[in-house]
Amino acid sequence: MLLLKRANELLAENKLREAEFMYKSVLKQSPNNGPALFGLGRICMRLEQYDNAIYYLKRACEHLPKMLEPLFALADAFLAVGSPVDAKTVLEYTLSVAKHNAQAHYQLGQFYLDYGFIEQAKNVFKAGLDCPHSTVTAFMLYELVQMSSAKELPAYLAILEKLENEFEAPRLKTVVHYALAKCHEQLGNFNAAQDNYALANDTQLLMSEFRTVDMLPFFESIKLHCGKAFFDKPSDRVKTTFTPVFIVGLPRTGSTLLEQMLVQHSNVGTLGENTVISDKIVPYLSKRNNAEFPACLDQLSNSMLDHCRILYVDEIKRHRVPEEVVINKLPANFQNLGLIHKLFPEARIIHLTRNLNATAWSVYSNHFAESEPYFCSLSEFALYAQAQSDLMSHFNQFMKRDIFTLSYEQLIAEPEKTIKQCLSFLYQKYEPECLEFHKSKKPVHTLSKAQVRKPISTQPLEKWQRYEAFIEKMIAQPQSDQTTPANL
């Protein structure tokens, strides 16, 4: 028991190798020790050794029959190896043995949502409300109010108003206020919706540990290190076996919609919002050059770039993307365009834009898990949007032929024409299936996962306008008047 306790402590400290040794020592004494098997499964997940994770987690589930966490982890492992059918089987089994557990309902409901089974997701979330209330109750209600009819909303509104008084944790209060806002909005109570959006955002902004103005020197340093001299230096003209595509821009500018339209094409696959550049490639370069990003880009040898390309290709292999064109739709990759150009000189960059007020409201009225200031303040978002626009203008000076800029409004107004232009930029011929995106069961993990299961609508183009006066007032508000960061 002492070995197991120490192993769990080491795992909590992210000392994976030491924890692995301890867990294996426990298994030498007791080969069927469920907690030790679960611990090894979690280590394999963190190390992205998913086949090994499945082996250990299956055994952990056998020897921990009353624990749900190993089952949830096993479902995640199956998803990581591209086996959603097995993940679905595990999650449905979990719910069958834990019908009164809200977390079991939430996990299965989220799976259904991700894969486009909207009605099944709705039914599972509704059943989950009958379970004893827990933290996930608020999250289930947040999803439910967005997929339910007006006649169902008053019942959800009553539960949310009760939870508003029950929950003390700021993160939970934030979710409740977003759900209340969505509920009031669909019921036509726009003043109440606006008030709850403001409460949600103000509460979340209190949890932010920095402000957008703190990021401006970073954006300026990117321009400095990725300037004319950087782009004039000859690049290693490596020809890849795939066409790397990066969809960049501000959040809520239509990247999920565009991605889902493009991936219906027979030659186009996706990594989703993949962070391999910031999580693996940049740390490698920082370590090799003993400098933080973007200063680590000052000295890029061919061997470094080759290693970085291998890291990216390994990510493609891990996600089992066999298509000729491979999309990475992480919007924040606009910061990495200089590095991307050096890694993949033939990369195609699609820059999405949208009306500022519409974008700002779409961000403000949706719950982002990260408490970053530009996600929960209209004036903070306006500052971030300006910084992003300035940086894109900078990169356009040097990468004009590699960047295709299109607006969300253009995509909505003329989808076929716009997709044809996009595909031509990606060296692909148009396929009509691209306009049938809403019928697809390809997984979507972003905030738009339910929205992209419907045909294109002009509603998002107009929805923000009823809040226009509020948006204009808040965008103009000086940053100094914003809520103080939590740790300042």
Side-chain angles (χ1 to χ4, degrees):
M1 290 302 293
L2 289 175
L3 274 177
L4 186 61
K5 181 181 178 183
R6 182 56 184 151
N8 289 334
E9 291 171 350
L10 289 167
L11 180 58
E13 296 167 9
N14 208 37
K15 296 179 179 178
L16 303 185
R17 295 303 178 192
E18 297 96 323
E20 180 184 16
F21 176 79
M22 291 286 188
Y23 284 129
K24 287 184 175 178
S25 297
V26 172
L27 290 178
K28 283 182 181 179
Q29 300 174 16
S30 177
N32 294 326
N33 186 288
L37 291 165
F38 184 33
L40 286 171
R42 285 184 288 168
I43 289 173
C44 290
M45 288 291 289
R46 292 190 194 181
L47 295 174
E48 299 181 357
Q49 298 170 355
Y50 298 116
D51 290 333
N52 290 338
I54 289 170
Y55 168 76
Y56 285 118
L57 291 170
K58 277 185 174 179
R59 292 186 59 199
C61 291
E62 292 173 10
H63 298 288
L64 296 169
K66 295 183 179 181
M67 282 187 65
L68 301 187
E69 287 78 5
L71 288 163
F72 295 145
L74 180 59
D76 289 339
F78 278 129
L79 288 175
V81 299
S83 185
V85 173
D86 287 320
K88 177 173 175 284
T89 300
V90 171
L91 291 172
E92 288 178 342
Y93 167 78
T94 305
L95 184 57
S96 73
V97 298
K99 292 180 180 178
H100 302 294
N101 185 283
Q103 185 70 38
H105 286 81
Y106 180 69
Q107 294 289 126
L108 180 57
Q110 280 296 331
F111 174 88
Y112 285 146
L113 260 187
D114 287 350
Y115 284 85
F117 300 103
I118 306 301
E119 199 59 34
Q120 290 94 320
K122 181 180 174 181
N123 291 335
V124 169
F125 288 143
K126 284 176 69 176
L129 296 183
D130 293 331
C131 302
H133 288 175
S134 67
T135 56
V136 297
T137 304
F139 289 89
M140 288 193 289
L141 283 162
Y142 177 73
E143 301 291 1
L144 270 172
V145 297
Q146 297 178 78
M147 60 178 77
S148 299
S149 63
K151 66 180 181 181
E152 297 172 285
L153 294 179
Y156 299 147
L157 190 61
I159 301 173
L160 284 165
E161 288 171 345
K162 184 179 179 183
L163 291 180
E164 184 182 6
N165 297 319
E166 288 182 5
F167 290 151
E168 295 297 329
R171 292 194 182 278
L172 290 178
K173 278 193 171 294
T174 296
V175 177
V176 169
H177 283 303
Y178 273 115
L180 281 166
K182 297 283 186 188
C183 203
H184 281 298
E185 188 171 67
Q186 292 192 65
L187 289 170
N189 306 326
F190 300 119
N191 288 336
Q194 180 177 295
D195 290 344
N196 275 283
Y197 280 133
L199 284 168
N201 282 275
D202 289 348
T203 303
Q204 194 165 16
L205 187 60
L206 279 169
M207 295 182 280
S208 178
E209 298 179 2
F210 68 98
R211 287 294 176 264
T212 308
V213 69
D214 301 327
M215 302 175 67
L216 301 186
F218 170 69
F219 289 132
E220 290 302 316
S221 69
I222 293 175
K223 297 177 190 176
L224 177 66
H225 290 280
C226 298
K228 187 175 185 302
F230 176 86
F231 283 96
D232 283 349
K233 187 176 180 180
S235 297
D236 186 12
R237 306 298 292 185
V238 173
K239 185 69 177 176
T240 57
T241 58
F242 63 98
T243 302
V245 177
F246 296 85
I247 300 176
V248 301
L250 294 169
R252 307 299 295 170
T253 52
S255 62
T256 300
L257 173 60
L258 177 61
E259 175 209 37
Q260 288 303 298
M261 295 175 80
L262 291 174
V263 297
Q264 307 312 313
H265 193 283
S266 57
N267 290 337
V268 181
T270 183
L271 293 172
E273 293 190 353
N274 193 279
T275 58
V276 62
I277 293 178
S278 57
D279 289 353
K280 295 182 181 178
I281 292 175
V282 166
Y284 162 77
L285 292 173
S286 295
K287 186 175 181 181
R288 281 292 303 269
N289 290 330
N290 194 29
E292 296 298 317
F293 183 83
C296 64
L297 304 183
D298 290 348
Q299 301 294 327
L300 295 176
S301 67
N302 287 344
S303 63
M304 288 181 199
L305 292 172
D306 284 342
H307 182 76
C308 292
R309 292 185 191 103
I310 290 170
L311 291 174
Y312 201 87
V313 171
D314 285 346
E315 194 73 8
I316 293 173
K317 291 177 180 176
R318 185 172 75 81
H319 282 80
R320 293 170 168 79
V321 184
E323 287 83 3
E324 176 185 327
V325 176
V326 182
I327 294 172
N328 185 334
K329 66 168 289 284
L330 183 69
N333 266 330
F334 72 85
Q335 304 170 26
N336 298 318
L337 291 186
L339 173 56
I340 287 169
H341 178 76
K342 292 296 182 181
L343 291 175
F344 305 113
E346 305 300 323
R348 307 274 78 191
I349 313 299
I350 301 174
H351 176 210
L352 274 167
T353 64
R354 187 181 181 185
N355 173 280
L356 174 62
N357 283 1
T359 311
W361 184 254
S362 188
V363 171
Y364 191 80
S365 60
N366 281 282
H367 175 240
F368 289 79
E370 303 85 357
S371 297
E372 298 185 7
Y374 40 85
F375 288 152
C376 39
S377 160
L378 289 167
S379 61
E380 292 282 342
F381 181 80
L383 187 61
Y384 181 78
Q386 185 60 58
Q388 187 268 344
S389 177
D390 290 346
L391 193 53
M392 285 305 303
S393 295
H394 171 82
F395 282 124
N396 260 303
Q397 297 176 67
F398 309 105
M399 301 173 63
K400 193 172 185 66
R401 294 181 180 178
D402 303 320
I403 299 175
F404 174 60
T405 301
L406 73 90
S407 73
Y408 176 73
E409 289 81 6
Q410 175 189 346
L411 181 62
I412 296 297
E414 301 179 300
E416 183 174 336
K417 178 182 176 181
T418 307
I419 286 298
K420 283 180 177 178
Q421 292 174 339
C422 242
L423 287 168
S424 177
F425 179 69
L426 304 181
Y427 316 115
Q428 301 297 318
K429 293 182 179 180
Y430 174 71
E431 293 179 359
E433 288 80 5
C434 293
L435 297 185
E436 301 294 313
F437 65 93
H438 54 283
K439 299 178 182 178
S440 171
K441 296 301 180 185
K442 291 179 183 289
V444 180
H445 304 291
T446 69
L447 292 174
S448 302
K449 57 184 139 187
Q451 195 174 349
V452 296
R453 307 302 181 182
K454 303 174 184 177
I456 284 178
S457 167
T458 59
Q459 186 181 8
L461 300 178
E462 305 160 358
K463 191 174 181 180
W464 64 275
Q465 293 176 2
R466 61 173 62 101
Y467 302 101
E468 188 169 12
F470 176 76
I471 296 169
E472 295 284 359
K473 175 185 175 183
M474 296 303 292
I475 281 182
Q477 188 175 351
Q479 268 72 39
S480 58
D481 292 347
Q482 297 294 304
T483 312
T484 306
N487 289 355
L488 296 183

